[in-house]
Amino acid sequence: MQPPIPRGSGPGRQFVQQQQTSPLAIRTKKYQLDKETYTRMALTQVWKKDWWQAAIPLVVLMIPAIFSFSWWWIGAAVLVTVLYVLLRSAQVTGITQLEQGKVLFERLSYEFDPRYIALRANDKDQPRGMTWDMIETVKRTKDAYVLYLKQPDAAEQVSGWRLWLAKLMWVPVFIHLPLRVFPAPKDLTMFENLLRRKNLLPATAASAADAPKAA
């Protein structure tokens, strides 16, 4: 199963050509997300959201032990739970080895415009881009912004239990932007204001001027 970057419509096809660069676009320095950082963040996101999945086999297999205690039931419950955790975690870390996930770890600069988000490998190549409606949520940490992409609609590719499983086993795909990639504090302010206008940050959030300064 390869759910991280689906090939249908939606976020899985987020890179489109942008023919013109707006003079008002917020531009960043080049940045490359390393695989270790992605793995740590993705696993944290998955288990923070889907911890209950690991609890299901543990609880279900413990029920018989309530009526007829046996170490076999307890051992089986623990074993199946551990195996599920390992399988789900391996699925997340596997994206770093897939050709489909290669784009996540390229060295890129970003341009943020009210109409689109553009990604540039260099000044000669046409930028790849995505629209803002492909962003589901934005989280701000003390030293970075994280833009999480929406899960694509896979209904055209699979159906029934496969569609349910694809949604259940979705692996987070995100843009990680350390504050240091913004050239100046004013760029941080403009970027945060843009996120607020897109309703991706609360209007009452502290201003970027109160956030840690970009390096």
Side-chain angles (χ1 to χ4, degrees):
M1 178 175 256
Q2 299 179 356
I5 307 180
R7 301 190 191 120
S9 59
R13 296 180 56 193
Q14 67 266 48
F15 299 120
V16 296
Q17 294 292 333
Q18 296 292 345
Q19 300 300 325
Q20 297 180 345
T21 299
S22 168
L24 300 178
I26 304 161
R27 299 174 179 84
T28 73
K29 304 173 187 176
K30 282 193 172 183
Y31 171 69
Q32 184 175 19
L33 176 65
D34 64 83
K35 294 180 180 181
E36 290 76 14
T37 299
Y38 167 81
T39 300
R40 184 184 72 252
M41 295 178 62
L43 284 174
T44 299
Q45 178 71 8
V46 164
W47 290 118
K48 183 178 179 180
K49 178 182 178 183
D50 296 337
W51 61 268
W52 57 270
Q53 295 180 14
I56 291 176
L58 182 65
V59 172
V60 170
L61 291 175
M62 283 286 192
I63 291 176
I66 297 176
F67 301 98
S68 179
F69 181 82
S70 171
W71 286 108
W72 287 106
W73 285 115
I74 296 176
V78 172
L79 178 61
V80 172
T81 301
V82 170
L83 288 176
Y84 179 80
V85 170
L86 292 176
L87 176 64
R88 186 75 166 103
S89 298
Q91 181 202 22
V92 174
T93 58
I95 189 175
T96 62
Q97 307 301 322
L98 295 176
E99 183 65 25
Q100 290 174 295
K102 184 178 178 181
V103 68
L104 294 175
F105 310 107
E106 292 182 3
R107 183 173 174 80
L108 302 169
S109 61
Y110 297 85
E111 296 176 4
F112 297 95
D113 181 88
R115 298 168 297 167
Y116 61 82
I117 300 170
L119 297 77
R120 290 181 179 272
N122 56 62
D123 293 335
K124 295 181 180 179
D125 294 340
Q126 283 284 350
R128 294 166 290 182
M130 56 192 294
T131 55
W132 282 98
D133 61 1
M134 295 177 181
I135 304 297
E136 181 174 26
T137 60
V138 174
K139 294 185 178 180
R140 185 180 60 188
T141 67
K142 64 179 181 179
D143 57 3
Y145 291 95
V146 185
L147 284 65
Y148 287 94
L149 275 63
K150 291 180 179 177
Q151 183 175 352
D153 184 4
E156 296 180 358
Q157 300 175 315
V158 295
S159 59
W161 69 268
R162 291 184 178 87
L163 178 61
W164 172 82
L165 186 62
K167 292 181 178 180
L168 185 70
M169 303 293 281
W170 167 245
V171 175
V173 178
F174 53 81
I175 298 174
H176 182 247
L177 296 170
L179 300 185
R180 67 177 184 274
V181 303
F182 293 91
K186 68 181 180 70
D187 297 297
L188 268 174
T189 302
M190 293 172 61
F191 180 64
E192 184 162 305
N193 288 338
L194 177 58
L195 293 178
R196 290 178 181 174
R197 291 197 298 273
K198 297 294 182 180
N199 295 319
L200 293 170
L201 279 183
T204 57
S207 67
D210 297 327
K213 301 294 184 181

